[in-house]
């Protein structure tokens, strides 16, 4: 019976059914104790197997939250973690707030068409590295879909958030893309929304919708730009030229 429970646990672990795998391993441990009359002492063999299950579970959970191509967080993690951060920072009047930036690679279809999808994949991976290079503590980058990414910047003022995303835009534009392919040029556009501490309660759908409106303004302004929402207006970063 011990061997049977152990075999079933391994099979369930391979299938990702961690809860039932733990149950069978614990049953095997209980039977081993009873058979050996060893009291609370856990045989080393089973101790190691339970530890291996824990490691495998942690690795699988980590992989399930990551985009397989870019290693950025995926949409599943974004929806879960952003909801938690919005609830935390929008409800706390002492918090400087939280910012969300929706980032899109400009004319990325042209990159794939002219240079091929292998180069396109390498561009996506490099862009993620550039997006992640200057995030505040607790911030993260998630792949939203295709060539769109979301930057989440917690405990950040509106001004600091816009400055951070604008520096990121410049960093992407200045990267030596021709090292990947001749004549390759990559730029991004971004829309930033800031939810201040003590502001109205916000959910992920509303927040991303507002960021998308700002992103559209950056695209409409000619791309390779950062737009942000201030009150009821949308402006371009570092232009001071009024509403867009």
């Amino acid at each position: 019976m011990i061997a049977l429970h152990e075999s079933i646990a391994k099979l369930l672990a391979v299938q990702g059914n961690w809860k039932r795998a733990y149950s069978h391993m614990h049953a095997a441990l209980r039977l081993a104790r009873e058979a050996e009359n060893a009291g609370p002492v856990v045989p080393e063999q089973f101790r190691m197997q339970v530890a291996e299950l824990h490691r495998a579970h942690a690795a699988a959970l980590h992989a399930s939250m990551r985009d397989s191509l870019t290693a950025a967080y995926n949409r599943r993690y974004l929806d879960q973690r952003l909801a938690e951060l919005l609830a935390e920072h929008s409800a706390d009047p002492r918090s400087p707030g939280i910012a969300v930036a929706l980032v899109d690679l400009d004319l990325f279809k042209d990159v794939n068409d002219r240079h091929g999808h292998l180069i396109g994949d390498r561009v996506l991976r490099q862009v993620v590295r550039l997006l992640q290079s200057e995030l505040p503590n607790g911030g993260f980058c998630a792949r939203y879909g295709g060539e769109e990414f979301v930057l989440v910047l917690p405990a950040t003022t509106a001004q600091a958030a816009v400055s951070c995303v604008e520096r990121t835009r410049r960093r992407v534009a200045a990267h030596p893309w021709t090292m990947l392919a001749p004549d390759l040029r990559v730029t991004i556009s971004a829309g930033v929304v800031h939810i201040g501490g003590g502001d109205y309660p916000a959910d992920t759908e509303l927040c991303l919708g507002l960021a998308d409106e700002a992103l559209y303004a950056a695209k409409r302004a000619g791309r390779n730009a950062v737009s942000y929402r201030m009150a009821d207006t949308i402006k371009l970063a570092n232009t001071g030229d009024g509403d867009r």
Side-chain angles (χ1 to χ4, degrees), residues 91-230:
D92 185 359
R94 298 168 299 178
S95 170
I98 178 172
V100 174
L102 185 57
V103 178
D104 183 69
L105 275 70
D106 297 323
L107 303 174
F108 184 65
K109 183 179 183 299
D110 290 351
V111 173
N112 283 327
D113 290 345
R114 293 183 58 193
H115 302 284
H117 288 275
L118 290 179
I119 292 296
D121 288 348
R122 293 176 68 182
V123 166
L124 290 174
R125 287 191 286 266
Q126 181 59 44
V127 165
V128 166
R129 286 190 283 268
L130 294 170
L131 293 177
Q132 292 175 329
S133 65
E134 190 187 338
L135 294 177
N137 290 335
F140 65 90
C141 172
R143 191 176 184 184
Y144 192 59
E147 63 271 22
E148 286 189 320
F149 297 87
V150 172
L151 296 179
V152 177
L153 313 174
T156 305
T157 64
Q159 182 178 1
V162 172
S163 296
C164 176
V165 178
E166 171 62 15
R167 287 192 299 271
T168 300
R169 181 196 65 77
R170 294 178 183 177
R171 188 161 54 246
V172 172
H175 185 76
W177 294 107
T178 53
M179 294 181 66
L180 286 181
D183 302 321
L184 177 62
R185 180 172 181 265
V186 178
T187 61
I188 62 172
S189 296
V192 183
V193 61
H194 182 266
I195 306 297
D199 277 359
Y200 56 88
D203 58 29
T204 58
E205 183 177 354
L206 172 63
C207 194
L208 292 171
L210 293 174
D212 188 52
E213 291 179 5
L215 171 61
Y216 179 76
K219 293 285 189 179
R220 191 174 57 189
R223 302 185 179 88
N224 191 22
V226 174
S227 291
Y228 63 97
R229 178 176 290 275
M230 178 178 290

Side-chain angles (χ1 to χ4, degrees), residues 229-240:
R229 178 176 290 275
M230 178 178 290
D232 294 328
T233 62
I234 296 177
K235 299 186 177 183
L236 286 177
N238 292 333
T239 62

